[in-house]
Amino acid sequence: MLLLLPLLWPFLIAPAQEPTPMGTLSPGAIEAHTIEAGGMHVWEIEAESDCRVEGRLLQLEGDALLVVTNPKGQVAAFDFSDEGREPFRFHRTQAGTYLLSIQASGNSPHQLRYELYLGICEPVATGFEARVAQWVRTASPREPAVAVWVVQP
């Protein structure tokens, strides 16, 4: 729990944000938007339990904080870089609506421009080859290709 505190700290000290519902995020789509200073966009992801979710938040202008909330209200925050790509990955352990909230990290008085990409939202693959194939499919169309070498004895 103490490890999450540094990641959640900007979210905990940030002023109250006015949330804007953005709808359901679809796998494969790239959503490009601007958030005015003090604003927050909230996206929904629907899927069954035991699903793997991967995507990327591309910070075009400003430093973004991405907060994921599960159906029970538990949160995880993603804010590992001040600019550029902010990958996120989590395992859905329960069915229901997960929320992805995007806002400026800290108390930024400036707007935030971003692109959000949901690469995968599907059941976790079983078996080595199926898991590798599932991992390769998570590459964003706006990023360099992924190369995987599998060495078998």
Side-chain angles (χ1 to χ4, degrees):
M1 182 63 181
L2 291 177
L3 294 175
L4 287 178
L5 189 57
L7 292 175
L8 291 174
W9 186 249
F11 180 68
L12 297 173
I13 65 170
Q17 306 289 308
E18 183 62 36
T20 302
M22 300 301 289
T24 302
L25 188 59
S26 301
I30 296 175
E31 298 284 349
H33 295 279
T34 300
I35 302 174
E36 295 304 320
M40 175 193 298
H41 286 177
V42 180
W43 294 90
E44 295 182 356
I45 297 177
E46 294 286 344
E48 299 300 317
S49 63
D50 200 29
C51 284
R52 182 171 167 234
V53 177
E54 289 192 20
R56 288 159 185 83
L57 174 66
L58 182 58
Q59 302 164 115
L60 300 172
E61 180 182 335
D63 181 18
L65 171 66
L66 172 67
V67 177
V68 178
T69 308
N70 71 12
K72 290 186 176 180
Q74 298 165 327
V75 298
F78 298 87
D79 188 20
F80 302 115
S81 64
D82 293 339
E83 58 186 35
R85 248 176 15 122
E86 189 79 65
F88 61 91
R89 175 182 302 166
F90 59 94
H91 184 177
R92 292 178 52 115
T93 56
Q94 53 194 286
T97 303
Y98 279 62
L99 302 176
L100 293 147
S101 303
I102 301 169
Q103 66 187 53
S105 184
N107 296 322
S108 175
H110 305 290
Q111 71 178 9
L112 174 68
R113 289 188 324 109
Y114 70 91
E115 287 183 357
L116 184 61
Y117 171 75
L118 180 61
I120 191 169
C121 184
E122 64 185 21
V124 175
T126 56
F128 179 74
E129 289 180 9
R131 284 187 160 227
V132 169
Q134 187 178 54
W135 180 76
V136 169
R137 284 195 316 269
T138 63
S140 168
R142 300 240 176 142
E143 295 178 0
V146 174
V148 175
W149 288 270
V150 178
V151 179
Q152 295 180 337

